[in-house]
Amino acid sequence: MKKIFLLTALALTLFSCKTTSVTTNKLDRSTQVAIKGNWILTSVTYPGSEYIKVNSFDIADSKCFEGSTWKFISNNNKGDMALTKFDCPVFSSPIIWFINKDGEFILKVLDVDEKAKRVRAGYVLQVANQSENSFQLVDKGINVAGKSIDVVYQFQKSN
C-alpha cells in the first residue's frame, strides 16, 4: 500500500491508503450481503484530527465525507457514493467494491461511464464492528511522524 505525505507550514495533509494491485483472495459473501443497501457515513475519526487533515480516497478532506451517502449492491459488487456536506466539493461517483476472506474491503471509485477493469488503482480498508445497522471501515497504519494511526469511517444504515 502506498501512502503519500505532504507537509505544509500550517498542517500535515495525509492521503488515504491506496494500492495499485487489488487482491484476488476469495470473497466473503456473507459479510458483503450484510452490507448491501443504503448507508450514511456518520463520522470520520482518528487521533490528532485537530492537527492532521486526511484526504480520503483522493477526493476531499475526510470531514467532507461525514454525512455522505453510500449504496452497496452485493450481488454485482457495484454501488455509488455522494458527498452531501455544505462547504465541501460536490462529488458523486459509481463504485465497485468487494470484501475478501481477510476482512479487507476493496474499493474502486469510478468516473461516470468508466469500466472498473480500466481503473488500475483502488483502496484497501478493514471491515470492523459490523452489525445489522452499522459497520466501520478502517484505514490502518497510516504513518504520521513515526506513529501509526488508524482512520475510522463509521457507517449507519439509512433504510
Side-chain angles (χ1 to χ4, degrees):
M1 291 186 281
K2 290 184 179 179
K3 296 178 179 84
I4 302 168
F5 300 97
L6 176 64
L7 185 57
T8 65
L10 299 175
L12 180 67
T13 302
L14 229 65
F15 294 91
S16 66
C17 187
K18 186 173 186 175
T19 182
T20 55
S21 65
V22 176
T23 182
T24 58
N25 291 350
K26 294 187 179 212
L27 301 182
D28 184 344
R29 295 268 182 217
S30 63
T31 303
Q32 286 185 180
V33 169
I35 288 178
K36 77 177 180 180
N38 296 313
W39 298 82
I40 295 174
L41 199 161
T42 57
S43 67
V44 181
T45 57
Y46 51 94
S49 61
E50 60 277 6
Y51 305 110
I52 302 168
K53 292 196 178 280
V54 173
N55 185 349
S56 294
F57 311 112
D58 295 323
I59 296 170
D61 181 80
S62 62
K63 295 303 177 186
C64 289
F65 280 81
E66 293 178 346
S68 62
T69 57
W70 295 68
K71 181 176 185 174
F72 299 106
I73 304 168
S74 62
N75 66 339
N76 64 6
N77 300 102
K78 293 183 178 181
D80 55 67
M81 54 84 62
L83 300 182
T84 58
K85 194 169 188 178
F86 179 74
D87 269 355
C88 286
V90 173
F91 184 85
S92 65
S93 178
I95 61 172
I96 298 293
W97 65 283
F98 68 88
I99 301 169
N100 67 23
K101 291 285 186 184
D102 295 328
E104 294 174 323
F105 183 96
I106 314 303
L107 172 69
K108 286 185 178 183
V109 179
L110 308 176
D111 290 329
V112 175
D113 296 327
E114 183 175 31
K115 301 237 182 250
K117 67 182 177 181
R118 294 189 186 260
V119 178
R120 307 309 285 166
Y123 304 90
V124 180
L125 301 103
Q126 292 291 311
V127 177
N129 301 316
Q130 185 179 8
S131 73
E132 186 177 326
N133 295 311
S134 68
F135 72 95
Q136 295 173 331
L137 293 178
V138 182
D139 196 351
K140 292 194 141 310
I142 295 176
N143 184 351
V144 177
K147 291 185 178 182
S148 180
I149 67 165
D150 293 345
V151 178
V152 179
Y153 299 90
Q154 179 69 49
F155 288 82
Q156 191 71 36
K157 190 108 174 164
S158 66
N159 62 345

